[in-house]
Amino acid sequence: MFISYFDDKRVTENAINGNIKKLAAYRAEIAASATAGTTTVPEYSLYHCKEFALHEELAALKKQFKGVTHVVLVGIGGSSLGLEAIHSVLDTGAVKLSVLDTVSAARIDAVIKSVVAEKKVSRIAVCVISKSGGTTETIANAAVLLDALKEVYGAAIYGQTIFIGNPGTELLKYGKKQGAHIFTMPEVIGGRYSVATMVGLVPLTLLGHDVDEFIEGYLDAGEERFESLVAESAARIAVYHKLKYHHYNFFAFEPRLEQVGKWYRQLFAESLGKEVDLAGKTLIHAMVPTVSTPVELHSTGQLYMSGVPDTVTDFVTFDDEIIDVKIARGNKMAAALNGYTMQEVATALYGGVVGAYQEKQLPYRATIFEESLPYSLGLFMAMRLREVMYVAKILNVDAFNQPNVELYKTKTKEILSL
Amino acid sequence: MFISYFDDKRVTENAINGNIKKLAAYRAEIAASATAGTTTVPEYSLYHCKEFALHEELAALKKQFKGVTHVVLVGIGGSSLGLEAIHSVLDTGAVKLSVLDTVSAARIDAVIKSVVAEKKVSRIAVCVISKSGGTTETIANAAVLLDALKEVYGAAIYGQTIFIGNPGTELLKYGKKQGAHIFTMPEVIGGRYSVATMVGLVPLTLLGHDVDEFIEGYLDAGEERFESLVAESAARIAVYHKLKYHHYNFFAFEPRLEQVGKWYRQLFAESLGKEVDLAGKTLIHAMVPTVSTPVELHSTGQLYMSGVPDTVTDFVTFDDEIIDVKIARGNKMAAALNGYTMQEVATALYGGVVGAYQEKQLPYRATIFEESLPYSLGLFMAMRLREVMYVAKILNVDAFNQPNVELYKTKTKEILSL
């Protein structure tokens, strides 16, 4: 993992170091919890996947669901974004993933049709994920999906279904009654921090990805060389926040990283976007995260490169050396590009953009994945989870709550007379 | 098309009316150009599709490419986003669309494989779109794609290929030499305004969509009842801009509208995100557009509903009455939702969110498509194109140029020694 920074003049070494100092006690606290294996703090998400029992459960799962060719995930937000992020990078087409997140009649109709086309129930795995067991979207989607599949495949569909959530929810009890598989996640770990619990690891296993490599990378984020980088990045983001930068642009320079950006956007927005800090003080500023891809060089690029005030860019990319194609010598349409490979052109675009940012003095950080992709994704996600906790600590906000989404949920329930 | 507004207290009737007044001369000017059929102004994009010859060409195209089941579009930014937006709403699965926009070896490898799987050359249509004929990404993608397909299908692939761009570009000349079809778009119409030129209409025809309905809606946007709504919306956006609102959130409440959001984000960012205005004055403020979907209610929703300062939300949705599914009475998992349809749950979520915005005094506009989808999309896109021209007029910026993207292009070419 290669990480570099380019700051504008307003960000001083002093300010960064000052923030790093503010983190000292918290860093020691997390390190102690990790060593002790403390299961009662929300930071447990950073080392929960050390648990041996979890690995055994996943190995058993892998064996049992060997013939699966289509995984349907029913979940939303913290229950789906992490898994989608990893799958969209690692997807080789071997196992199909369908996700039912928000409520859309057209979408569920299409998913049911494609699952029915699998013909054999042993090819299907359905994961129903709701931490609380009470997410309206997930319950509506799961009810309609499972009813439709039961009509085709009979009760056998429950043998291919897995319910995941906090221990003891009504949803899990219901699943157990139907004979479905039940996996629990630790209650203390919030949804947006749950990618390396059963929430992410069960569907990743069903999809055939290298979960061991992912976990190895994930746990390596706790090592000193990575942890100190995280502290530096967090200190920097907190400086930008204090200087009232308004926009945080996650620039997925490899299009397959766009979903990783959406996962990070959730993590960042939900953890840091609060009305009041821990001292009860009203916050009048927030950085709003957005996600870009190289397509935006031909669209929002104009805006970002105009130096729109107070935007920080977060370039993330990887070298794709497994697949490459050369532009043939002698091709007259692309005569000037003859002999280059697609990867070389992509790298030149990346270099061109980074060069333009430097010349225009626009602040950014750049991350390039260099090791195996499952390992890099694990490392990257764990570093970002830790980072957002660190930023919250410096800003004195609660990284783990989300008080403002309750209002729309209440109003929705009023409309439905629930 | 149902449109409503909810402003916060800082936006006054006076300010809105003041901006509407500023538009009077420009509105009259566009109306006069439209009546005269003036082809020399960039606003030509608003009425170009009245041209009779264009409809004849499309009818001939439809006939000739009747057997097509897979369309590959090679283009980026203004050459692909509009088409993708329309297709992602109207897609019924009848014809497959693959888009090659940015440079990605993995993506082009996957597209080539799926096009080769079609087996018959008559099932394939390739559209290569570059206004200038010199877009690096498009040329690289087209060169590699067409070389690979020629190896499988022989020179016959050029009979299934269409080149679109400004008249007389090198790319068009090259295409003509190979025996491909050539369509031109008017040079005066910028890429981000080109959805209702051959750039959008040719691939839409190949995909089997109702282009006539789309054009009908598109041209209706010029009628007084819609045009005056556009002026009001533009006046409002300019007020928000003057009050230094930082974020513009396009909230695609139907997930299939997300691509429409991406098209609008480009239009908005490229047209309004400038460093200097027409008087040469440096601009220190810009509104940055971002795109949300209902999935974000479980992620960035927390941030937006915290009342993050200075965000305007642009809800866009439609009633999907063609496909719907009921949650069965007697389903125990979703007992509280028994008897509701998915569309009713989706509508309740929408109502819940809009209610929460009102209670929290967060400004928004809401658009609901009520007529046929192709018609609504045409109307919506033309209204938004016109609106952004109006906003630019009030802000005194050039809606039609994009000076800042040249730097990264220059640097990319340096790296590739072009």
Side-chain angles (χ1 to χ4, degrees):
Chain A
M1 184 99 47
F2 174 76
I3 300 174
S4 60
Y5 305 100
F6 182 85
D7 292 318
D8 62 28
K9 286 173 213 148
R10 285 176 287 172
V11 179
T12 65
E13 277 301 308
N14 261 352
I16 295 170
N17 290 332
N19 281 341
I20 291 177
K21 269 186 201 146
K22 283 184 197 156
L23 285 172
Y26 188 51
R27 291 167 75 184
E29 212 177 278
I30 292 181
S33 298
T35 309
T38 311
T39 61
T40 51
V41 293
E43 291 84 357
Y44 182 34
S45 64
L46 299 175
Y47 49 87
H48 164 69
C49 62
K50 274 186 194 163
E51 311 268 343
F52 185 68
L54 185 143
H55 295 260
E56 280 194 318
E57 282 187 272
L58 291 175
L61 185 81
K62 197 172 172 176
K63 225 171 175 178
Q64 194 180 344
F65 281 84
K66 228 170 41 187
V68 163
T69 53
H70 195 152
V71 175
V72 186
L73 188 144
V74 188
I76 189 165
S79 301
S80 62
L81 289 168
L83 175 279
E84 281 183 275
I86 302 167
H87 179 67
S88 75
V89 176
L90 302 182
D91 184 16
T92 59
V95 182
K96 187 176 170 171
L97 171 67
S98 299
V99 176
L100 293 170
D101 41 34
T102 189
V103 172
S104 160
R107 172 96 70 91
I108 199 166
D109 184 68
V111 168
I112 289 169
K113 277 181 188 141
S114 77
V115 177
V116 167
E118 293 289 341
K119 295 217 165 85
K120 277 188 178 171
V121 74
S122 61
R123 289 185 186 143
I124 303 160
V126 178
C127 291
V128 179
I129 310 181
S130 169
K131 197 177 136 58
S132 65
T135 315
T136 301
E137 291 94 329
T138 303
I139 288 178
N141 276 320
V144 170
L145 174 74
L146 289 171
D147 274 358
L149 296 184
K150 197 179 163 189
E151 249 181 52
V152 178
Y153 298 112
I157 191 64
Y158 287 105
Q160 301 297 115
T161 302
I162 296 159
F163 286 78
I164 305 173
N166 285 341
T169 68
E170 287 303 312
L171 191 64
L172 256 51
K173 282 183 205 156
Y174 171 84
K176 200 170 178 186
K177 221 179 206 168
Q178 309 303 314
H181 304 257
I182 306 297
F183 285 107
T184 57
M185 63 171 292
E187 202 152 349
V188 74
I189 298 180
R192 60 186 175 273
Y193 296 96
S194 68
V195 66
T197 68
M198 287 305 194
V199 167
L201 302 179
V202 164
L204 284 177
T205 301
L206 297 170
L207 287 162
H209 297 311
D210 193 334
V211 175
D212 290 339
E213 277 273 321
F214 176 80
I215 291 179
E216 201 187 318
Y218 192 89
L219 290 173
D220 275 1
E223 285 184 11
E224 199 276 333
R225 62 194 163 125
F226 296 117
E227 191 275 339
S228 58
L229 263 178
V230 167
E232 189 187 337
S233 297
R236 207 168 234 116
I237 292 175
V239 173
Y240 285 118
H241 194 281
K242 204 178 165 193
L243 290 169
K244 300 215 171 14
Y245 282 66
H246 295 104
H247 314 283
Y248 188 95
N249 182 19
F250 186 103
F251 203 129
F253 220 91
E254 227 291 336
R256 282 176 286 163
L257 287 163
E258 185 176 5
Q259 286 290 336
V260 179
K262 289 187 177 178
W263 169 82
Y264 180 68
R265 179 172 66 168
Q266 169 196 39
L267 174 69
F268 189 102
E270 272 199 342
S271 302
L272 304 176
K274 302 290 152 70
E275 272 174 299
V276 287
D277 71 7
L278 287 165
K281 209 177 78 181
T282 301
L283 295 165
I284 56 142
H285 175 69
M287 284 174 88
V288 173
T290 186
V291 182
S292 297
T293 71
V295 174
E296 271 73 62
L297 293 174
H298 291 256
S299 59
T300 42
Q302 159 63 30
L303 176 60
Y304 288 121
M305 288 192 242
S306 78
V308 46
D310 313 327
T311 301
V312 183
T313 300
D314 183 6
F315 292 109
V316 181
T317 193
F318 57 82
D319 258 348
D320 192 341
E321 284 167 355
I322 300 166
I323 299 171
D324 206 353
V325 222
K326 207 169 197 148
I327 297 161
R329 292 195 187 280
N331 184 303
K332 281 181 185 141
M333 196 190 330
L337 295 170
N338 276 196
Y340 281 115
T341 72
M342 291 307 253
Q343 190 52 48
E344 283 166 341
V345 177
T347 303
L349 281 166
Y350 179 77
V353 173
V354 168
Y357 268 64
Q358 286 175 356
E359 193 162 320
K360 293 213 141 216
Q361 297 279 311
L362 305 174
Y364 70 81
R365 109 169 110 169
T367 305
I368 303 175
F369 294 0
E370 289 165 315
E371 287 91 6
S372 101
L373 285 176
Y375 175 88
S376 295
L377 283 164
L379 177 59
F380 179 83
M381 290 174 118
M383 285 175 78
R384 291 299 174 102
L385 288 169
R386 189 183 287 262
E387 179 179 296
V388 91
M389 295 174 193
Y390 286 7
V391 177
K393 179 56 74 178
I394 302 171
L395 300 178
N396 197 33
V397 296
D398 185 343
F400 304 105
N401 69 352
Q402 58 254 27
N404 288 310
V405 289
E406 296 310 318
L407 185 59
Y408 96 82
K409 289 183 185 172
T410 310
K411 295 214 171 271
T412 300
K413 284 179 181 168
E414 274 170 30
I415 294 169
L416 293 171
S417 314
L418 300 186
Chain B
M1 184 98 46
F2 174 77
I3 300 174
S4 60
Y5 305 100
F6 181 84
D7 292 318
D8 61 28
K9 286 172 212 148
R10 285 177 287 171
V11 180
T12 64
E13 277 301 308
N14 261 352
I16 295 171
N17 289 332
N19 281 340
I20 291 177
K21 268 186 202 145
K22 282 185 198 156
L23 285 172
Y26 188 51
R27 291 168 74 185
E29 211 177 278
I30 293 181
S33 298
T35 308
T38 312
T39 61
T40 51
V41 292
E43 292 84 357
Y44 182 35
S45 64
L46 299 175
Y47 49 87
H48 164 69
C49 62
K50 273 186 194 165
E51 310 268 340
F52 185 70
L54 185 144
H55 295 259
E56 280 194 319
E57 281 186 272
L58 291 175
L61 185 80
K62 196 170 172 178
K63 225 172 177 177
Q64 194 179 345
F65 281 84
K66 226 170 41 184
V68 163
T69 53
H70 195 152
V71 175
V72 186
L73 187 144
V74 188
I76 189 166
S79 301
S80 62
L81 289 168
L83 175 278
E84 280 182 276
I86 303 167
H87 179 67
S88 75
V89 176
L90 302 183
D91 185 16
T92 59
V95 182
K96 189 178 169 169
L97 171 68
S98 298
V99 176
L100 292 170
D101 41 34
T102 189
V103 172
S104 160
R107 172 94 71 90
I108 200 166
D109 184 67
V111 168
I112 289 170
K113 276 180 188 142
S114 77
V115 178
V116 166
E118 294 288 343
K119 295 214 165 85
K120 278 188 176 168
V121 75
S122 61
R123 290 186 186 142
I124 301 160
V126 178
C127 290
V128 179
I129 310 181
S130 169
K131 197 176 137 60
S132 66
T135 315
T136 302
E137 290 94 328
T138 302
I139 288 178
N141 276 321
V144 169
L145 174 74
L146 289 171
D147 274 358
L149 296 184
K150 198 180 164 189
E151 250 181 51
V152 178
Y153 297 112
I157 191 63
Y158 287 105
Q160 301 297 116
T161 302
I162 296 159
F163 285 77
I164 305 173
N166 285 341
T169 67
E170 287 304 313
L171 191 64
L172 256 52
K173 282 183 202 156
Y174 171 84
K176 199 169 181 186
K177 222 180 206 167
Q178 309 304 313
H181 305 256
I182 306 297
F183 285 106
T184 57
M185 63 172 291
E187 202 151 350
V188 74
I189 298 180
R192 60 186 174 274
Y193 296 95
S194 68
V195 66
T197 68
M198 288 304 194
V199 167
L201 302 178
V202 165
L204 284 177
T205 302
L206 297 171
L207 287 161
H209 297 311
D210 192 333
V211 175
D212 291 338
E213 276 273 320
F214 176 80
I215 291 178
E216 200 187 318
Y218 192 90
L219 291 173
D220 276 1
E223 286 185 13
E224 198 275 332
R225 62 194 165 126
F226 296 117
E227 191 275 340
S228 58
L229 263 177
V230 167
E232 190 187 336
S233 297
R236 208 168 233 114
I237 292 174
V239 173
Y240 285 118
H241 194 281
K242 205 178 164 192
L243 291 169
K244 299 216 174 6
Y245 282 66
H246 294 103
H247 314 283
Y248 187 95
N249 182 20
F250 186 102
F251 202 129
F253 220 91
E254 227 292 336
R256 282 176 285 163
L257 288 163
E258 186 176 4
Q259 286 291 336
V260 179
K262 290 186 176 178
W263 168 82
Y264 180 68
R265 178 171 67 169
Q266 169 197 38
L267 174 69
F268 189 102
E270 272 198 344
S271 301
L272 304 176
K274 302 290 153 70
E275 273 173 300
V276 287
D277 71 7
L278 287 164
K281 208 178 78 182
T282 302
L283 296 166
I284 56 141
H285 175 69
M287 285 174 88
V288 174
T290 186
V291 182
S292 297
T293 71
V295 174
E296 271 73 64
L297 293 175
H298 291 256
S299 60
T300 42
Q302 159 62 31
L303 175 59
Y304 288 121
M305 288 193 242
S306 79
V308 47
D310 311 327
T311 301
V312 183
T313 300
D314 183 6
F315 292 109
V316 182
T317 192
F318 57 82
D319 258 347
D320 192 341
E321 284 166 356
I322 300 164
I323 298 172
D324 205 354
V325 223
K326 206 169 198 147
I327 297 161
R329 292 197 186 279
N331 185 304
K332 280 180 187 141
M333 195 192 328
L337 295 170
N338 276 196
Y340 283 115
T341 72
M342 291 307 253
Q343 190 53 47
E344 283 166 342
V345 178
T347 304
L349 281 167
Y350 180 77
V353 173
V354 168
Y357 269 64
Q358 286 176 355
E359 193 162 320
K360 293 212 143 219
Q361 296 279 313
L362 305 174
Y364 69 81
R365 110 169 108 169
T367 305
I368 303 175
F369 293 2
E370 289 166 313
E371 287 91 6
S372 102
L373 286 176
Y375 175 87
S376 294
L377 284 164
L379 178 59
F380 179 83
M381 290 174 118
M383 285 175 78
R384 292 298 175 104
L385 288 169
R386 188 183 287 261
E387 178 180 296
V388 91
M389 295 175 193
Y390 286 7
V391 178
K393 179 56 73 179
I394 303 171
L395 301 178
N396 198 33
V397 296
D398 186 343
F400 304 105
N401 69 351
Q402 60 253 27
N404 288 310
V405 290
E406 295 310 317
L407 185 59
Y408 95 83
K409 290 183 185 171
T410 311
K411 295 214 170 271
T412 300
K413 285 181 178 167
E414 273 169 32
I415 294 169
L416 293 171
S417 315
L418 300 185

